[in-house]
Amino acid sequence: MSILLSVILPVFVVIGLGFFAAKRRLIPEAGIDGIMRFSQGFAIPILLFQAIATLDLQENFDLRLVGTFYTGSFTCFLIGMLAAHHLFKRDWEDAVAIGFIALFSNSLLLGLPITERAFGADATQANFAIIAVHSPFCYAVGITAMEIAKAKGHPPHTIPAKVLRAIFSNSLIIGITLGLIVNLTGLPIPTVVDEGLDMLVRAALPSALFGLGGVIARYRIEGDMPTILFTLSLSLILHPSIAWLLGTQMNLSQNEFRSVVVTAAMAPGANAYLFAAMYGRATRVAASCVLLGTALSIVTAAVWLALLA
């Protein structure tokens, strides 16, 4: 209970305030959209830029760590997609969107602050190593699978260009890419610029969590409950279980092990809904998974943190 109160609930208090403000129309939908555009389009890309630019890649970018997390992530994608098609009788395009829900954990808005509150800021270096690959990997998998499902006679050689165009128009990936360039080249950041970026970074997670609550307030859980619960079981139970099993085999450090399990245990992120909406596929399932998964993760994350403790 102390873990729940001290670590997880403060994060969900911020989400809850955003939810309440949107539900009560204290902030209009356009205002919530503005907050999300600020956080997702500016503040969080800058947070990622700074974190990746200063990350010790040799020490923290461990292929064992990345492999552990993304083996579980990709496994959940495949199971979710195949189950959606064969078990729940969805067409392949819907199935890809449902698989993407199980693929895309909320590594940034939930995994990062919960890891920091539970284990301290020094424990989040592994989180940033995971996050650096997260959007590029997930969108590459999801977009490639969706474009293949949609191809239906279109020449296959057009698929790589569509995938790359979609990936590198994402502001999060732009921030990560610029951070890697600065890291690898050693380009200095002027002090005055760095201090200005610091101010934006401090606003990134609170504004994003508040905005996430406002966005969730628009959703409503309706229909498709077997599909929703199955998909959430992949995100909240199977993915962290795979991360735990593989992490023990890979001899990860304590901080790496904690980061990979906590991040894997997070509910589907808002990007799961954005991906479904981008293609107009399984949007009701995606919205319901984000809403219900975020609520359920209050309990499931507490369980995983208790096991890690």
Side-chain angles (χ1 to χ4, degrees):
M1 182 58 72
S2 62
I3 292 175
L4 179 65
L5 293 175
S6 65
V7 175
I8 299 174
L9 283 187
V11 173
F12 285 94
V13 164
V14 181
I15 295 173
L17 287 171
F19 184 91
F20 177 81
K23 274 292 185 187
R24 294 294 181 181
R25 299 289 192 270
L26 300 177
I27 298 178
E29 285 194 8
I32 294 295
D33 289 338
I35 292 171
M36 289 304 288
R37 277 196 293 271
F38 164 73
S39 62
Q40 298 274 27
F42 294 95
I44 288 180
I46 290 170
L47 167 68
L48 294 175
F49 166 78
Q50 272 202 332
I52 303 302
T54 57
L55 184 68
D56 187 336
L57 294 176
Q58 187 172 1
E59 180 179 345
N60 292 293
F61 200 83
D62 190 333
L63 287 178
R64 296 173 304 160
L65 166 74
V66 175
T68 295
F69 181 85
Y70 288 105
T71 296
S73 181
F74 188 68
T75 300
C76 291
F77 169 76
L78 288 178
I79 294 174
M81 180 177 64
L82 293 173
H85 183 68
H86 295 292
L87 181 61
F88 300 112
K89 307 304 178 186
R90 309 293 288 249
D91 65 31
W92 278 115
E93 291 176 44
D94 269 15
V96 171
I98 291 168
F100 191 88
I101 298 167
L103 175 74
F104 206 105
S105 303
N106 199 335
S107 61
L108 187 60
L109 302 190
L110 294 181
L112 183 61
I114 287 175
T115 302
E116 182 176 1
R117 291 191 61 81
F119 306 114
D122 292 339
T124 61
Q125 293 301 305
N127 288 65
F128 283 112
I130 293 170
I131 291 168
V133 186
H134 198 213
S135 289
F137 175 83
C138 291
Y139 275 102
V141 170
I143 293 169
T144 301
M146 184 64 83
E147 292 299 332
I148 291 172
K150 289 178 58 178
K152 297 174 183 174
H154 290 85
H157 70 267
T158 63
I159 293 175
K162 290 180 180 178
V163 172
L164 290 173
R165 187 163 54 249
I167 289 174
F168 285 99
S169 62
N170 185 299
S171 58
L172 301 179
I173 296 172
I174 292 170
I176 290 167
T177 303
L178 292 176
L180 282 172
I181 291 171
V182 170
N183 190 308
L184 295 173
T185 61
L187 287 172
I189 302 174
T191 301
V192 65
V193 174
D194 197 40
E195 290 178 355
L197 296 181
D198 279 339
M199 295 174 66
L200 282 171
V201 165
R202 285 194 292 272
L205 289 178
S207 64
L209 291 170
F210 187 91
L212 177 62
V215 171
I216 287 175
R218 302 172 186 174
Y219 301 158
R220 197 171 50 171
I221 299 172
E222 52 183 0
D224 301 306
M225 192 53 69
T227 307
I228 293 165
L229 293 177
F230 181 85
T231 306
L232 288 178
S233 71
L234 299 178
S235 293
L236 301 177
I237 300 172
L238 181 61
H239 191 183
S241 297
I242 294 173
W244 187 295
L245 291 173
L246 289 180
T248 56
Q249 299 298 315
M250 294 292 183
N251 295 318
L252 300 178
S253 70
Q254 185 183 59
N255 281 344
E256 288 175 332
F257 185 77
R258 287 169 168 172
S259 291
V260 77
V261 173
V262 170
T263 306
M266 293 301 101
N271 278 285
Y273 174 74
L274 295 177
F275 180 85
M278 182 168 66
Y279 287 103
R281 287 291 183 164
T283 52
R284 186 167 65 181
V285 174
S288 298
C289 282
V290 173
L291 174 56
L292 184 58
T294 302
L296 288 176
S297 62
I298 298 175
V299 176
T300 57
V303 172
W304 288 109
L305 285 174
L307 292 172
L308 287 168

